Amino acid sequence: MGIEEFGGGQGAQSDVLVVTTNDVPGYHVSQVIGEVFGLTVRSRHLGSQIGAGLKSMIGGELRGLTKTLVETRNQAMERLVEQARARGGNAVLMMRFDVTEAADVGTEVCAYGTAVVLAPQS
């Protein structure tokens, strides 16, 4: 597995900028749209649970689970971008992830932030 399988974030072609900062150098917020989020819940895979249990006894990275979490976070972020775009935003500021156990059957991942319209500074 290559490193590209364990990365995340936006592609270079996205029309909605997502950042973890409060502002973007060279731009000002011309409109605050409000909170947006993308949510997904993934169930646990029995095979990965068994493999993770065995791996935890001998130590080391749980690569299958790591890859699944990256895919899950990317899906949550895609949904966040879709919601911001649908509401008229071209950026999401202060993006964060929240990860919790969902009723002991899976993992809930929520990407959230503030949708805004950014305009170049004059």
Side-chain angles (χ1 to χ4, degrees), residues 10 17 27 31 36 39 44 49-51 75 92 99 102 107 117-118:
Q10 289 185 288
L17 178 66
Y27 292 86
Q31 179 185 356
V36 289
L39 181 68
R44 293 191 180 94
Q49 289 289 72
I50 293 169
Q75 183 178 46
V92 177
V99 180
T107 301
V117 175
L118 289 181

mmCIF file of all heavy atoms in Angstrom, residues 10 17 27 31 36 39 44 49-51 75 92 99 102 107 117-118:
data_model
loop_
_atom_site.group_PDB
_atom_site.id
_atom_site.type_symbol
_atom_site.label_atom_id
_atom_site.label_comp_id
_atom_site.label_asym_id
_atom_site.label_seq_id
_atom_site.Cartn_x
_atom_site.Cartn_y
_atom_site.Cartn_z
ATOM 1 N N GLN A 10 -8.497 17.698 0.315
ATOM 2 C CA GLN A 10 -9.089 18.040 -0.971
ATOM 3 C C GLN A 10 -8.131 17.819 -2.128
ATOM 4 O O GLN A 10 -6.924 17.914 -1.971
ATOM 5 C CB GLN A 10 -9.442 19.520 -0.992
ATOM 6 C CG GLN A 10 -10.598 19.884 -0.125
ATOM 7 C CD GLN A 10 -10.933 21.339 -0.316
ATOM 8 O OE1 GLN A 10 -10.202 22.196 0.130
ATOM 9 N NE2 GLN A 10 -12.014 21.597 -0.996
ATOM 10 N N LEU A 17 -13.052 25.831 -1.096
ATOM 11 C CA LEU A 17 -11.835 25.738 -0.292
ATOM 12 C C LEU A 17 -12.202 25.333 1.133
ATOM 13 O O LEU A 17 -13.130 25.887 1.717
ATOM 14 C CB LEU A 17 -11.115 27.090 -0.276
ATOM 15 C CG LEU A 17 -9.852 27.174 0.569
ATOM 16 C CD1 LEU A 17 -8.757 26.289 -0.012
ATOM 17 C CD2 LEU A 17 -9.389 28.619 0.672
ATOM 18 N N TYR A 27 -7.821 37.138 1.213
ATOM 19 C CA TYR A 27 -9.271 37.097 1.019
ATOM 20 C C TYR A 27 -9.968 37.638 2.263
ATOM 21 O O TYR A 27 -9.418 37.607 3.360
ATOM 22 C CB TYR A 27 -9.758 35.655 0.779
ATOM 23 C CG TYR A 27 -9.292 35.096 -0.531
ATOM 24 C CD1 TYR A 27 -8.041 34.488 -0.640
ATOM 25 C CD2 TYR A 27 -10.094 35.158 -1.668
ATOM 26 C CE1 TYR A 27 -7.604 33.970 -1.848
ATOM 27 C CE2 TYR A 27 -9.660 34.647 -2.873
ATOM 28 C CZ TYR A 27 -8.412 34.063 -2.960
ATOM 29 O OH TYR A 27 -7.985 33.551 -4.153
ATOM 30 N N GLN A 31 -19.563 37.008 3.229
ATOM 31 C CA GLN A 31 -20.846 36.514 3.746
ATOM 32 C C GLN A 31 -20.593 35.259 4.578
ATOM 33 O O GLN A 31 -19.865 34.372 4.154
ATOM 34 C CB GLN A 31 -21.790 36.179 2.594
ATOM 35 C CG GLN A 31 -23.132 35.635 3.051
ATOM 36 C CD GLN A 31 -24.008 35.199 1.878
ATOM 37 O OE1 GLN A 31 -23.651 35.357 0.715
ATOM 38 N NE2 GLN A 31 -25.158 34.632 2.195
ATOM 39 N N VAL A 36 -21.920 24.015 8.581
ATOM 40 C CA VAL A 36 -22.196 22.919 7.656
ATOM 41 C C VAL A 36 -21.475 21.683 8.189
ATOM 42 O O VAL A 36 -20.496 21.791 8.918
ATOM 43 C CB VAL A 36 -21.739 23.231 6.213
ATOM 44 C CG1 VAL A 36 -22.629 24.280 5.576
ATOM 45 C CG2 VAL A 36 -20.293 23.667 6.162
ATOM 46 N N LEU A 39 -21.547 13.908 7.429
ATOM 47 C CA LEU A 39 -21.591 12.827 8.406
ATOM 48 C C LEU A 39 -21.623 11.490 7.701
ATOM 49 O O LEU A 39 -22.299 11.332 6.677
ATOM 50 C CB LEU A 39 -22.856 12.996 9.257
ATOM 51 C CG LEU A 39 -23.112 11.985 10.362
ATOM 52 C CD1 LEU A 39 -22.078 12.136 11.464
ATOM 53 C CD2 LEU A 39 -24.508 12.184 10.911
ATOM 54 N N ARG A 44 -18.364 -1.935 11.544
ATOM 55 C CA ARG A 44 -17.122 -2.694 11.664
ATOM 56 C C ARG A 44 -17.211 -3.936 10.790
ATOM 57 O O ARG A 44 -18.243 -4.577 10.700
ATOM 58 C CB ARG A 44 -16.898 -3.081 13.111
ATOM 59 C CG ARG A 44 -16.622 -1.882 13.974
ATOM 60 C CD ARG A 44 -16.136 -2.343 15.336
ATOM 61 N NE ARG A 44 -15.880 -1.198 16.157
ATOM 62 C CZ ARG A 44 -16.747 -0.683 16.997
ATOM 63 N NH1 ARG A 44 -17.943 -1.207 17.123
ATOM 64 N NH2 ARG A 44 -16.437 0.366 17.734
ATOM 65 N N GLN A 49 -11.887 -6.770 12.329
ATOM 66 C CA GLN A 49 -11.925 -6.856 13.789
ATOM 67 C C GLN A 49 -11.020 -7.982 14.267
ATOM 68 O O GLN A 49 -10.278 -7.822 15.217
ATOM 69 C CB GLN A 49 -13.353 -7.114 14.282
ATOM 70 C CG GLN A 49 -14.265 -5.937 14.127
ATOM 71 C CD GLN A 49 -13.915 -4.836 15.099
ATOM 72 O OE1 GLN A 49 -12.913 -4.152 14.958
ATOM 73 N NE2 GLN A 49 -14.739 -4.668 16.089
ATOM 74 N N ILE A 50 -11.109 -9.142 13.605
ATOM 75 C CA ILE A 50 -10.277 -10.280 13.985
ATOM 76 C C ILE A 50 -8.806 -9.949 13.741
ATOM 77 O O ILE A 50 -7.958 -10.165 14.598
ATOM 78 C CB ILE A 50 -10.703 -11.549 13.220
ATOM 79 C CG1 ILE A 50 -12.097 -11.978 13.666
ATOM 80 C CG2 ILE A 50 -9.689 -12.666 13.420
ATOM 81 C CD1 ILE A 50 -12.734 -13.051 12.812
ATOM 82 N N GLY A 51 -8.532 -9.395 12.568
ATOM 83 C CA GLY A 51 -7.149 -9.006 12.250
ATOM 84 C C GLY A 51 -6.611 -7.973 13.217
ATOM 85 O O GLY A 51 -5.462 -8.037 13.644
ATOM 86 N N GLN A 75 -14.924 10.784 2.895
ATOM 87 C CA GLN A 75 -16.344 10.803 2.535
ATOM 88 C C GLN A 75 -17.081 11.880 3.334
ATOM 89 O O GLN A 75 -17.904 12.610 2.779
ATOM 90 C CB GLN A 75 -16.979 9.447 2.781
ATOM 91 C CG GLN A 75 -18.443 9.405 2.349
ATOM 92 C CD GLN A 75 -19.070 8.051 2.556
ATOM 93 O OE1 GLN A 75 -18.908 7.438 3.622
ATOM 94 N NE2 GLN A 75 -19.771 7.565 1.543
ATOM 95 N N VAL A 92 -15.070 26.754 3.381
ATOM 96 C CA VAL A 92 -15.438 26.336 4.735
ATOM 97 C C VAL A 92 -14.248 26.662 5.613
ATOM 98 O O VAL A 92 -13.138 26.188 5.381
ATOM 99 C CB VAL A 92 -15.767 24.829 4.811
ATOM 100 C CG1 VAL A 92 -16.065 24.419 6.256
ATOM 101 C CG2 VAL A 92 -16.932 24.481 3.899
ATOM 102 N N VAL A 99 -14.939 12.239 15.804
ATOM 103 C CA VAL A 99 -15.064 10.797 15.613
ATOM 104 C C VAL A 99 -15.569 10.182 16.910
ATOM 105 O O VAL A 99 -14.992 10.403 17.970
ATOM 106 C CB VAL A 99 -13.711 10.163 15.233
ATOM 107 C CG1 VAL A 99 -13.844 8.659 15.036
ATOM 108 C CG2 VAL A 99 -13.139 10.816 13.989
ATOM 109 N N ALA A 102 -20.543 4.692 17.415
ATOM 110 C CA ALA A 102 -21.976 4.809 17.145
ATOM 111 C C ALA A 102 -22.686 3.546 17.620
ATOM 112 O O ALA A 102 -22.688 2.528 16.928
ATOM 113 C CB ALA A 102 -22.235 5.041 15.666
ATOM 114 N N THR A 107 -18.423 3.350 13.625
ATOM 115 C CA THR A 107 -17.750 4.601 13.926
ATOM 116 C C THR A 107 -18.431 5.723 13.158
ATOM 117 O O THR A 107 -18.641 5.615 11.951
ATOM 118 C CB THR A 107 -16.266 4.521 13.518
ATOM 119 O OG1 THR A 107 -15.664 3.434 14.229
ATOM 120 C CG2 THR A 107 -15.530 5.795 13.860
ATOM 121 N N VAL A 117 -18.658 32.859 2.070
ATOM 122 C CA VAL A 117 -18.292 33.306 0.730
ATOM 123 C C VAL A 117 -17.055 34.166 0.910
ATOM 124 O O VAL A 117 -17.065 35.154 1.645
ATOM 125 C CB VAL A 117 -19.427 34.119 0.076
ATOM 126 C CG1 VAL A 117 -18.972 34.673 -1.276
ATOM 127 C CG2 VAL A 117 -20.674 33.253 -0.102
ATOM 128 N N LEU A 118 -15.977 33.756 0.264
ATOM 129 C CA LEU A 118 -14.723 34.504 0.292
ATOM 130 C C LEU A 118 -14.614 35.366 -0.954
ATOM 131 O O LEU A 118 -15.035 34.949 -2.045
ATOM 132 C CB LEU A 118 -13.507 33.563 0.327
ATOM 133 C CG LEU A 118 -13.232 32.785 1.596
ATOM 134 C CD1 LEU A 118 -11.977 31.937 1.410
ATOM 135 C CD2 LEU A 118 -13.091 33.688 2.800
#
